Amino acid sequence: TFLREEALEINGTKADCYVVSAQVTIPAEGTSLHTWWIEKKSNHIVREDDEGSSVVFTTIKLNEQSPNDLFKFVPPPGARKVDGK
């Protein structure tokens, strides 16, 4: 459903957006209302709200290599490796 047009400020820059919403059903989780702010120039989602959280995407990079250490796992102190067999 189209709700409105709205400008968001992201990192000091105004982003003109379309605001839309939809009921989203995820098996085993149920149905919830999601709202997205879609930047008019790029058609990228810059904000997403659902019934329990809100996320604003401040940096969007497409088709770029992610740094190798971006998803580096560091076990917490005292953790030990166990055999999962």
Side-chain angles (χ1 to χ4, degrees):
T1 303
F2 175 78
L3 299 177
R4 63 185 175 277
E5 295 182 17
E6 182 177 324
L8 287 183
E9 186 172 325
I10 301 172
N11 289 338
T13 302
K14 185 176 116 176
D16 291 321
C17 301
Y18 301 111
V19 184
V20 299
S21 68
Q23 291 283 339
V24 176
T25 300
I26 300 173
E29 291 186 25
T31 300
S32 60
L33 179 66
H34 288 251
T35 304
W36 297 278
W37 282 251
I38 302 169
E39 184 185 26
K40 290 180 179 182
K41 288 182 187 177
S42 66
N43 292 321
H44 294 148
I45 294 173
V46 293
R47 177 176 170 179
E48 177 182 15
D49 288 5
D50 63 24
E51 294 174 347
S53 65
S54 179
V55 177
V56 176
F57 301 98
T58 59
T59 303
I60 299 170
K61 294 181 181 181
L62 302 174
N63 301 320
E64 288 191 10
Q65 183 73 24
S66 297
N68 290 334
D69 63 347
L70 181 62
F71 299 105
K72 183 178 178 182
F73 174 70
V74 178
R80 62 185 179 86
K81 185 176 180 179
V82 295
D83 188 3
K85 294 181 184 177

